Amino acid sequence: MRIRGPIVDVGEPRTVGGGTDLVEITIRPERGAADPVRVTLWNKWSETADYAEAGMELLVTDAEESEFQGEVGYETTPDSWVVLEPEFLVDVTAVRSWVQCPRMYYLNKLSGVPLKYPVVKGTVVHEVFGDLLRGRDLEDSIDHRVAEAGLELGALGYDRKEVEDEVRRNAAAVEGWLQQGTLTEEDTWRSEYTLISPTFGIKGRADALRRGMPVELKTGKNTKREPRFQDKMQAACYALMLEEQGVDVEGHSPSGSQTQSGNADTATLLYTKNTALERAEETGDLAPAKEFSVGPGLLKFVVRTRNELAAMEFDAAVPTGFEADARCQYCFEQDTCMVVSGRLDQESKAGQIGKPLPAAERAYFEGFYQGIEAERREVHAEYRKLWEQTAGERAEDDRALLDLEPLDREELPGGRWRLRARKPDDAVSKLRPGDVALASDGDPVSGHAELCRIQSLGTGKAGAEIVVEADEPVDVCRLDVYPSELSVDRMLTALHDGVLKGDPGRKDVLFGRRDPEFSGPQREYVGNNDAQNEAVNLATRAEDFALVHGPPGTGKTYTIAQTVQALIEQGERVLLSAFTNRAVDNALEAVREQGVDDAEIVRFGTESGIREDMQDVRLEQAGDPGERISELRDASLVAATTASCGSRIMREEAFDVALVDEASQLTEPATLAAINLAERFVLVGDHEQLPPVVQAEGGKRWAPEHSAATDGGTAAESGGDGATADRPPRLDLSTSLFERLHEMAPEASVLLDRQYRMAQRIQAFSSREFYDGALRPANGEVAAQRIADLPGVDVDAIPRNLRGSVSFVDPDGERAGNTNPTEADRVAEVVDQFVAAGVDEEDIGVIAPFRAQVAEISRRVDATVDTVDRFQGSSEEVIIVSFVATGELSGPIYDDPRRMNVALTRAKKSLVLVGDAGALSSDPFYDRMLDWARREL
DNA sequence: GCTCTGCGAAGAGGA
């Protein structure tokens, strides 16, 4: 049986008769009696006691009931697996680097995989290997895959020919091996096999499976008889997961598709620099392929190693680091290792370089590290939904599209597949075209699943056709969101780059040790708006940073365009960034409209993320290395999301100024990803609108005084005499850097106070509640605009209660979950009434707090319907807000008034609030809103 | 009890 639960107590390891080790761990089982129960771990599993501690989750499979001294408990059997913290999903490559050296694991995590030639070449060879397995022609594949890596190769100074030759030599070893009778009629192959293990808490992608057994490609040389230990561990991880899955793999062989199940007791490592094929018979050492048997002992060692790693991650604290028995002498990470040790004042075998961080910086680093790791756990929780979802919850969950009917599959040139499926119902999900998703036969964990990219989802209606592309074919019965740790990884590397490697002068201003400085002459950039003109001056004269505070409709985007143009004219190289692709494209559009030469501009990012009209300046990554990299390096303006700024390529770029839009929606580490690349920075945002989305409750609030570094650590520098001395700055993921600096250095900030969007009545509430009344209409025309101004509108045809610029409607509905159908009906009726009076449906927007209500309303109207969060940044002539709540305002969505500030400031001429007066009047803020909305009745 | 966008992900190596 399986036993699982949080650990209450860890006993002392003991040795009993005949030298058998055991340890008793007390856990509180999740099922049945709540009483703690004793679990005896025998033999090697007793090692778990070395790192297990109270609070960690323990899972024991195949446990047996046992009685000892009259007490009933459980014990491991020879078939048991013991897993610590199974919910922490360890990556296979993490296990690999951990066995090499635990510090290497941490360093990779902190500093990311750098832009180095062996990495890029290795990736290319892996891709060629996959292509070969999928039947692609070798030369065609090499040509294509080397071209794809064009930009990275260019950044490394390589030319295409030499890389092609080297890849060809590596691939020849693979191809030779494949042709050496190994690829027979009986062989079944799968490339790029995604594995996720709920039991062992491991995930990863095997390079290939042959007859259901893992094959791992290594683009190096290994002349020893045995594979390298860390390579064996990696392959054994896959073998372990395959065994759990009871692999039943659909693969293809030269004779066509067939199904075969295998027992993963053998794994193969392919060392592509071992090229002595002709002598392979007599000298097994030099043959590229090394097979080895994966016995139960190795598998258990894999699990114990993984447990050790998961236990070390338990408290989500900055690693103190130890090297186990690694030898540093030949380590490629030596430099990084010494720098990190030096900055964090850690002991390390390799030694330390540089001075330890001042206490305030140390606290900052540790606090954000923990916040980011808490977010990582939230990503792991998303993975759990892949297997925890039960039939009963299906209707509520929107992370997957279920019960799809597979249609056809089509092989694309290059060996990829286009797969189609039909959606039987009108279910909506978070999935969107361009997303990476997991397409499966219905069971994404133990069934057949493939990573894919969504091409199209049709409409939300029943019968819509779904199209995805994947490396291998699968009957698409289900499509899941594929959770990614990418953004947490990028935040971590940005934190590393900013704090451990960051420029001391930059850190002085970020930590309030020095005031931001400005220099140079004032000029007139904007003639008719003093605040905007001041903003451009502040941004262009900033020696350190400038902040532009732009409330709704105040011409933020125009100000950005003016600023970027002015900076480029000063001869500066500019990075334009924001959290979302949409925001980046919007800002870039304004810059282009301003007349900045297209030849100066590069839009960096994925093809599917970038808007159609910006594709012409998008940097194509594939092509000639030299050409690709000069296109990037020669651009005076590079526009990219903050996530892209953390990419290997962008981390190597340098700018004079980074300008970040919608900076108030970015976590501080995400902002660092952009500003790390520049000497100076300008943040544009509004902290009175939506803050960054943070998942983890614990990650939202922490104060530096609670951090380990402040007691003890380096007391030499205490953080200076800035804001930090008076009261600790608000350092948490849900406070943006924009907001923090705005409080710390108000003199570096300009408020854009004139808005060009809303009628006077509409803006009044927001101005009073959020901007101390400072927000005002830019001119009389803006202030006095009315719905009657819209062409073809007959005001008399609009019901009297909706004629004013702000109105309130109580539909007397009932909240049901996150929807309110009666209210949705009433919203649709209001839309119809406006349309009947001649308002173009395209000029109407509907906003609701919940996605479920958005879906409810979308079924009834053709106007744009979206959540508040997704409406930020845009506006419509007429806006209708659905509040959903009845009776009381229960739910976190109502807690943050800034969300309402966004919803209420999207309308230009008419704003209709649809909600339950009882619920709204139950909260002082919403009650004031109600007063304001009703006053005009 | 909610809101959510990014990213192909994983990719290497010597004594």
Side-chain angles (χ1 to χ4, degrees):
Chain A
M1 69 179 299
R2 220 167 235 242
I3 173 143
R4 176 174 186 159
I7 295 174
V8 180
D9 180 66
V10 181
E12 286 297 318
R14 292 186 282 137
T15 306
V16 292
T20 314
D21 297 324
L22 75 92
V23 66
E24 288 176 346
I25 291 188
T26 312
I27 70 166
R28 197 176 292 281
E30 56 187 6
R31 272 189 297 271
D35 287 340
V37 61
R38 184 199 66 225
V39 184
T40 307
L41 309 184
W42 288 100
N43 300 313
K44 287 262 173 99
W45 293 121
S46 66
E47 201 185 292
T48 311
D50 293 347
Y51 32 80
E53 55 181 89
M56 289 180 186
E57 182 95 354
L58 181 76
L59 165 67
V60 179
T61 71
D62 298 291
E64 225 169 54
E65 228 176 63
S66 72
E67 203 183 307
F68 182 64
Q69 293 177 343
E71 204 185 318
V72 178
Y74 298 90
E75 62 183 350
T76 56
T77 63
D79 294 332
S80 289
W81 299 102
V82 174
V83 186
L84 266 184
E85 289 284 285
E87 293 182 352
F88 188 86
L89 279 180
V90 177
D91 217 278
V92 172
T93 50
V95 175
R96 179 181 199 270
S97 60
W98 179 273
V99 295
Q100 270 186 278
C101 170
R103 265 191 80 78
M104 188 184 290
Y105 161 70
Y106 285 129
L107 294 171
N108 283 340
K109 192 172 157 183
L110 283 180
S111 62
V113 177
L115 184 64
K116 285 188 184 167
Y117 178 64
V119 183
V120 179
K121 184 199 69 188
T123 308
V124 172
V125 175
H126 274 80
E127 280 163 347
V128 170
F129 177 52
D131 283 346
L132 288 176
L133 293 183
R134 291 187 289 268
R136 191 173 189 176
D137 173 69
L138 177 64
E139 283 306 315
D140 180 45
S141 170
I142 292 174
D143 185 55
H144 190 85
R145 298 301 191 177
V146 172
E148 263 182 359
L151 180 63
E152 294 199 313
L153 292 170
L156 289 160
Y158 280 77
D159 76 53
R160 198 167 167 163
K161 185 74 174 59
E162 62 181 315
V163 179
E164 282 178 352
D165 288 345
E166 192 172 358
V167 169
R168 192 174 290 113
R169 282 196 295 278
N170 282 269
V174 176
E175 204 187 28
W177 180 67
L178 287 175
Q179 285 173 350
Q180 224 180 20
T182 317
L183 188 64
T184 63
E185 294 287 309
E186 291 77 44
D187 266 359
T188 51
W189 280 93
R190 287 281 326 267
S191 66
E192 301 285 8
Y193 195 76
T194 304
L195 287 154
I196 304 160
S197 166
T199 302
F200 300 113
I202 305 180
K203 64 181 163 71
R205 244 159 51 121
D207 286 342
L209 300 190
R210 175 176 153 244
R211 301 180 198 160
M213 294 176 282
V215 176
E216 192 56 33
L217 191 71
K218 296 289 158 199
T219 47
K221 184 183 270 192
N222 179 3
T223 52
K224 302 257 168 58
R225 185 165 290 277
E226 281 284 296
R228 268 189 286 269
F229 187 61
Q230 62 265 30
D231 297 343
K232 281 170 97 168
M233 286 291 281
Q234 185 175 1
C237 281
Y238 298 125
L240 178 73
M241 291 194 281
L242 287 165
E243 194 173 282
E244 182 195 7
Q245 205 185 60
V247 70
D248 184 18
V249 185
E250 184 188 350
H252 27 256
S253 67
S255 54
S257 266
Q258 53 179 270
T259 298
Q260 188 186 61
S261 52
N263 218 350
D265 55 5
T266 312
T268 306
L269 284 157
L270 269 180
Y271 293 93
T272 60
K273 271 194 194 163
N274 288 14
T275 50
L277 285 172
E278 64 283 0
R279 296 194 297 129
E281 294 300 313
E282 57 271 27
T283 63
D285 307 345
L286 288 173
K290 293 181 192 296
E291 280 197 10
F292 70 101
S293 70
V294 185
L298 181 60
L299 291 178
K300 285 185 178 171
F301 184 76
V302 165
V303 174
R304 291 202 303 276
T305 306
R306 181 251 158 234
N307 284 345
E308 194 182 3
L309 194 164
M312 202 61 91
E313 292 280 13
F314 175 65
D315 62 357
V318 178
T320 50
F322 72 96
E323 301 88 341
D325 53 2
R327 278 183 298 172
C328 308
Q329 192 181 353
Y330 306 111
C331 182
F332 293 92
E333 301 297 334
Q334 239 184 116
D335 290 348
T336 319
C337 190
M338 290 190 286
V339 169
V340 170
S341 302
R343 288 283 185 265
L344 297 176
D345 200 17
Q346 300 169 331
E347 281 189 29
S348 98
K349 281 187 190 170
Q352 296 185 349
I353 287 181
K355 275 195 224 149
L357 295 177
E361 292 182 27
R362 179 88 185 265
Y364 175 100
F365 183 80
E366 294 186 351
F368 276 120
Y369 181 92
Q370 288 201 316
I372 294 166
E373 287 303 303
E375 289 301 288
R376 185 187 304 281
R377 273 143 228 269
E378 295 297 319
V379 178
H380 290 176
E382 290 177 13
Y383 272 97
R384 248 172 275 149
K385 297 198 174 142
L386 291 175
W387 60 82
E388 278 180 356
Q389 198 177 46
T390 60
E393 289 167 319
R394 284 185 165 198
E396 289 300 314
D397 199 282
D398 54 4
R399 303 186 52 80
L401 288 168
L402 305 148
D403 304 320
L404 305 176
E405 298 157 17
L407 296 172
D408 56 340
R409 48 175 71 171
E410 176 196 346
E411 191 164 5
L412 302 169
R416 278 173 65 82
W417 293 80
R418 179 172 295 144
L419 314 167
R420 280 177 229 276
R422 184 184 291 113
K423 191 168 61 155
D425 48 27
D426 60 355
V428 288
S429 75
K430 300 180 111 161
L431 294 162
R432 286 188 229 288
D435 284 357
V436 175
L438 202 55
S440 65
D441 58 2
D443 184 344
V445 175
S446 41
H448 179 196
E450 291 289 339
L451 272 187
C452 67
R453 191 180 273 284
I454 299 174
Q455 303 298 311
S456 67
L457 287 172
T459 61
K461 310 228 159 60
E465 190 179 271
I466 291 167
V467 185
V468 303
E469 281 183 20
D471 280 341
E472 300 266 359
V474 59
D475 287 331
V476 185
C477 299
R478 172 171 167 168
L479 202 57
D480 279 89
V481 171
Y482 187 73
S484 167
E485 294 183 37
L486 184 119
S487 61
V488 288
D489 286 341
R490 298 246 160 124
M491 281 199 277
L492 219 46
T493 55
L495 189 66
H496 167 269
D497 290 353
V499 183
L500 302 191
K501 277 176 64 186
D503 174 67
R506 158 68 56 82
K507 286 198 283 183
D508 283 344
V509 290
L510 287 186
F511 285 88
R513 294 189 291 253
R514 179 169 67 76
D515 289 331
E517 286 168 23
F518 297 86
S519 71
Q522 297 268 0
R523 281 185 48 191
E524 184 178 283
Y525 295 98
V526 184
N528 56 358
N529 187 316
D530 292 346
Q532 287 184 359
N533 189 53
E534 195 191 332
V536 182
N537 271 292
L538 206 63
T540 50
R541 296 176 58 249
E543 295 279 350
D544 303 289
F545 68 84
L547 307 170
V548 180
H549 182 190
T554 50
K556 240 167 17 105
T557 313
Y558 176 76
T559 309
I560 290 170
Q562 290 289 335
T563 305
V564 170
Q565 188 185 33
L567 289 167
I568 291 176
E569 278 169 12
Q570 285 179 21
E572 321 255 25
R573 184 165 195 238
V574 180
L575 171 66
L576 179 62
S577 192
F579 181 46
T580 63
N581 276 307
R582 198 173 56 149
V584 172
D585 286 333
N586 277 345
L588 187 57
E589 179 182 22
V591 171
R592 293 178 79 179
E593 278 169 6
Q594 205 54 45
V596 172
D597 186 358
D598 283 353
E600 306 262 345
I601 300 174
V602 156
R603 174 69 166 94
F604 182 90
T606 54
E607 187 174 0
S608 61
I610 298 172
R611 213 169 62 192
E612 194 53 48
D613 58 334
M614 295 296 141
Q615 292 286 345
D616 58 331
V617 287
R618 186 184 127 248
L619 179 67
E620 179 57 65
Q621 304 224 7
D624 177 73
E627 283 173 25
R628 296 277 71 85
I629 194 63
S630 356
E631 202 179 319
L632 177 61
R633 298 259 155 94
D634 294 346
S636 329
L637 175 64
V638 178
T641 59
T642 49
S644 290
C645 288
S647 68
R648 280 204 300 247
I649 285 287
M650 286 298 286
R651 280 172 83 199
E652 304 287 322
E653 290 300 299
F655 298 87
D656 297 304
V657 183
L659 195 149
V660 185
D661 192 13
E662 301 200 351
S664 47
Q665 283 194 81
L666 280 166
T667 63
E668 184 153 344
T671 317
L672 289 177
I675 67 175
N676 280 343
L677 309 183
E679 299 267 317
R680 293 165 275 144
F681 64 89
V682 181
L683 304 182
V684 183
D686 179 12
H687 51 284
E688 298 297 345
Q689 296 185 55
L690 288 167
V693 175
V694 178
Q695 306 267 22
E697 213 36 60
K700 287 182 186 177
R701 283 281 174 264
W702 56 274
E705 63 265 27
H706 298 312
S707 174
T710 33
D711 48 67
T714 42
E717 291 103 323
S718 69
D721 54 4
T724 44
D726 308 314
R727 66 191 156 104
R730 290 164 61 194
L731 294 172
D732 59 79
L733 287 177
S734 55
T735 304
S736 61
L737 178 64
F738 177 88
E739 182 171 5
R740 183 168 77 82
L741 292 182
H742 189 266
E743 280 175 22
M744 195 173 87
E747 75 279 8
S749 177
V750 185
L751 172 72
L752 304 181
D753 56 357
R754 292 163 63 182
Q755 63 88 11
Y756 297 83
R757 178 184 297 163
M758 299 162 275
Q760 171 93 43
R761 282 273 311 152
I762 295 177
Q763 66 121 65
F765 181 73
S766 170
S767 179
R768 188 174 71 225
E769 291 283 334
F770 297 96
Y771 307 103
D772 293 326
L775 183 64
R776 55 203 167 88
N779 53 51
E781 206 178 317
V782 169
Q785 60 181 317
R786 298 175 314 139
I787 190 125
D789 301 342
L790 291 173
V793 171
D794 174 11
V795 184
D796 294 331
I798 299 176
R800 194 164 289 278
N801 66 323
L802 300 176
R803 274 182 215 169
S805 25
V806 185
S807 21
F808 176 73
V809 175
D810 187 338
D812 212 16
E814 194 65 49
R815 175 171 175 177
N818 288 334
T819 68
N820 185 330
T822 312
E823 192 171 290
D825 288 340
R826 191 70 180 90
V827 167
E829 196 185 326
V830 172
V831 172
D832 291 343
Q833 286 166 333
F834 278 113
V835 173
V839 177
D840 193 336
E841 196 145 22
E842 298 209 329
D843 286 337
I844 305 175
V846 183
I847 301 178
F850 306 106
R851 239 179 312 127
Q853 178 74 349
V854 166
E856 196 73 32
I857 298 169
S858 296
R859 292 195 190 103
R860 293 166 168 81
V861 302
D862 289 326
T864 308
V865 189
D866 233 321
T867 55
V868 186
D869 299 59
R870 284 173 56 83
F871 240 104
Q872 176 152 341
S874 57
S875 62
E876 296 292 356
E877 300 291 348
V878 178
I879 288 285
I880 303 161
V881 182
S882 167
F883 286 88
V884 181
T886 53
E888 52 170 4
L889 287 176
S890 74
I893 199 90
Y894 301 105
D895 288 347
D896 195 336
R898 293 175 291 186
R899 180 166 277 109
M900 275 303 113
N901 187 30
V902 174
L904 302 178
T905 53
R906 301 303 103 190
K908 296 178 185 170
K909 297 185 171 62
S910 175
L911 173 66
V912 184
L913 308 183
V914 183
D916 176 54
L920 296 173
S921 57
S922 68
D923 172 279
F925 169 80
Y926 289 88
D927 193 40
R928 291 197 296 278
M929 179 190 81
L930 206 53
D931 271 356
W932 155 72
R934 283 169 151 173
R935 203 166 304 150
E936 215 180 21
L937 284 178

